[in-house]
């Protein structure tokens, strides 16, 4: 009977290398699994690379300071309410209203400017802000977008937002 117990004890011996795991190839295996099971669509990868190429190193970034989807008090019964966005950098404020019919906005302090609607790898609509700082576009962005403004020798780019 003692011999049988000795045999049982041998089967539970520690395997060589227990407690020590070599994870040097783990990251590569996880990346390969993710690429196979949940690949990044080629269009999205291309859009990301081209959007980064639009990055303007000399531009000031206008940060989002108000978004009606987050900051506004909802109105009961309101349908198709325009989205109001406010961006701010230094002494410039950019108010933007996004509606199903397009976008409109105003620069404060009022000034004329050329504006590009960035909505992908290439600049979209080219707009002009009048002397009162007002601008409009009949094309509503369908995905992520930003505005690039050129006024008074400065370039300002708003944060990217989803329409």
């Amino acid at each position: 009977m003692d011999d049988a117990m000795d045999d049982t004890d041998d089967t539970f011996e520690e395997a060589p290398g227990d407690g020590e795991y070599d994870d040097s190839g783990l990251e590569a295996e996880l990346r390969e699994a993710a690429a196979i099971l949940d690949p990044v669509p080629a269009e999205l990868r291309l859009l990301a690379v081209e959007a980064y190429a639009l990055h303007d190193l000399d531009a000031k970034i206008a940060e989002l300071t108000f978004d009606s989807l987050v900051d506004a008090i909802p109105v009961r019964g309101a349908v198709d309410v325009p989205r109001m966005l406010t961006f701010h950098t230094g002494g410039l404020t950019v108010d933007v209203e996004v509606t199903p019919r397009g976008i409109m906005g105003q620069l404060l302090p009022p000034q004329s400017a050329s504006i590009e609607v960035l909505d992908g790898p290439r600049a979209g609509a080219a707009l002009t802000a009048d002397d009162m700082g007002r601008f409009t576009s009949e094309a509503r962005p369908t995905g992520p977008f930003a505005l690039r403004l050129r006024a008074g020798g400065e370039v300002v780019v708003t944060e990217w937002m989803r329409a």
Side-chain angles (χ1 to χ4, degrees):
M1 185 151 214
D2 288 333
D3 291 335
M5 289 184 82
D6 288 339
D7 291 339
T8 308
D9 289 339
D10 290 342
T11 59
F12 293 109
E13 285 183 20
E14 287 189 28
D18 256 1
E20 297 175 24
Y21 180 74
D22 180 25
D23 61 355
S24 60
L26 180 61
E27 181 180 357
E29 289 179 29
L30 289 173
R31 286 182 186 275
E32 185 178 333
I36 292 169
L37 299 173
D38 189 20
V40 175
E43 312 157 332
L44 182 59
R45 183 184 307 267
L46 179 64
L47 185 63
V49 169
E50 290 177 343
Y52 183 76
L54 292 173
H55 180 60
D56 201 339
L57 295 177
D58 295 336
K60 292 181 180 179
I61 303 298
E63 295 182 24
L64 180 68
T65 57
F66 177 81
D67 183 348
S68 62
L69 288 180
V70 178
D71 303 318
I73 298 171
V75 177
R76 193 167 107 195
V79 184
D80 290 333
V81 178
R83 183 173 183 190
M84 307 297 291
L85 303 166
T86 300
F87 300 93
H88 184 73
T89 183
L92 179 67
T93 300
V94 183
D95 287 323
V96 180
E97 182 177 323
V98 181
T99 70
R101 295 182 308 271
I103 63 172
M104 68 176 104
Q106 183 171 17
L107 308 178
L108 298 169
Q111 57 190 290
S112 58
S114 65
I115 302 169
E116 297 169 87
V117 179
L118 307 174
D119 62 354
R122 289 175 224 89
L127 312 174
T128 303
D130 63 16
D131 292 338
M132 298 296 292
R134 299 172 298 196
F135 59 92
T136 61
S137 171
E138 293 181 11
R140 181 179 194 265
T142 56
F145 76 99
L147 301 176
R148 180 185 296 142
L149 302 95
R150 298 178 194 281
E154 289 189 340
V155 178
V156 174
V157 178
T158 65
E159 288 185 39
W160 283 81
M161 296 296 306
R162 182 165 296 279

